[in-house]
Amino acid sequence: MTHTPHMPLVAVPEPETTQIYDGETSWQKPWPRISPLLYKAPFFSFGPFLFSIVIALVVGIGSAYLSLNRGSPFNALESGVWVGHPHAGTIDSDPYSTAIFARTGRVPLGSGEGIAFYAAFDDSGRVLDPQCHYRISGRVPSTRLWTITALNNALELLATDAGRASLHSHGMLMDHTGAFSIDVAPEARPGNWLPTGGNSGLVFAMRLYDIPYTTGAGLSAPVMPAVELVGCK
């Protein structure tokens, strides 16, 4: 019986092959292995990306909130300390103005009814105080009817001891030129007296009905009465 010796297992190295890449046939051959550090490096980090999203949401929602709650409608018509918004409540109203009136629950006068002017400062630039004495004097544009009302800072009717907070032109004492003078104070005054009171701020609202601006004749800069501080307690 013939004995065949066991041959030791020896790893035979494979012959080295040199890969040559040329411009025409390189697509047929495998590309060299690329280090994972090159293609696994993140293009962005999730943390800064999430932070950017949060900042954008805060700025967007915050600016919208401030515009609706503390902003003023666009396209204002100013005359001295009086500010009106003739496009409020019309088809020409901008989206922010529409949202402001919807948010506050105020109903503006229609385009064919009139226009409302508001004053929150006197002629010297001081904020109106319901405990002070003011004098509103002068004339108003040609109109069928106008009213003046005392409001608080939330544009709500001011609570007064007299039980009223408004006057209208049909009950106004005027001179032969149509000029008038209104005393605004917590205590009763002779003549045209507009009562005030409380500590929730003061804003004057003057509503002009059927003025040329709303009837189509146009009005660019109406002459509004002056608001003068007489004194405070």
Side-chain angles (χ1 to χ4, degrees):
M1 183 174 183
T2 305
H3 175 72
T4 303
H6 293 283
M7 298 298 293
L9 298 177
V10 178
V12 179
E14 296 181 358
E16 296 183 358
T17 58
T18 302
Q19 295 182 352
I20 301 175
Y21 297 91
D22 58 83
E24 295 183 357
T25 62
S26 60
W27 61 273
Q28 299 176 350
K29 300 179 177 64
W31 289 97
R33 182 178 178 82
I34 301 176
S35 172
L37 296 177
L38 297 180
Y39 65 83
K40 288 187 179 181
F43 291 99
F44 63 89
S45 177
F46 185 73
F49 175 74
L50 181 61
F51 179 75
S52 301
I53 294 296
V54 172
I55 291 297
L57 290 176
V58 170
V59 172
I61 296 176
S63 61
Y65 177 84
L66 292 177
S67 298
L68 296 182
N69 290 272
R70 299 184 182 181
S72 178
F74 299 151
N75 300 320
L77 185 64
E78 300 183 10
S79 178
V81 298
W82 301 90
V83 180
H85 302 93
H87 296 295
T90 68
I91 59 175
D92 297 325
S93 177
D94 61 274
Y96 272 99
S97 300
T98 302
I100 288 173
F101 281 101
R103 175 72 174 81
T104 57
R106 288 183 286 155
V107 180
L109 295 176
S111 59
E113 295 177 307
I115 182 173
F117 285 89
Y118 297 88
F121 305 89
D122 61 21
D123 288 347
S124 298
R126 292 181 290 261
V127 177
L128 298 178
D129 187 339
Q131 297 298 323
C132 293
H133 178 197
Y134 297 94
R135 182 168 291 117
I136 302 175
S137 58
R139 298 182 181 84
V140 298
S142 177
T143 176
R144 177 179 59 85
L145 171 70
W146 59 267
T147 64
I148 180 147
T149 308
L151 308 173
N152 59 22
N153 286 340
L155 299 183
E156 299 169 343
L157 197 63
L158 198 66
T160 66
D161 294 336
R164 63 177 179 86
S166 64
L167 293 172
H168 58 83
S169 58
H170 290 175
M172 190 72 56
L173 299 176
M174 304 181 187
D175 61 18
H176 65 282
T177 64
F180 60 87
S181 178
I182 302 173
D183 285 295
V184 184
E187 299 85 9
R189 304 285 174 173
N192 301 316
W193 172 48
L194 180 62
T196 59
N199 296 295
S200 55
L202 177 62
V203 177
F204 296 136
M206 179 169 280
R207 296 176 175 86
L208 311 178
Y209 296 90
D210 292 342
I211 64 173
Y213 191 93
T214 59
T215 56
L219 184 64
S220 57
V223 178
M224 300 293 290
V227 181
E228 174 191 0
L229 174 64
V230 177
C232 293
K233 295 181 178 180

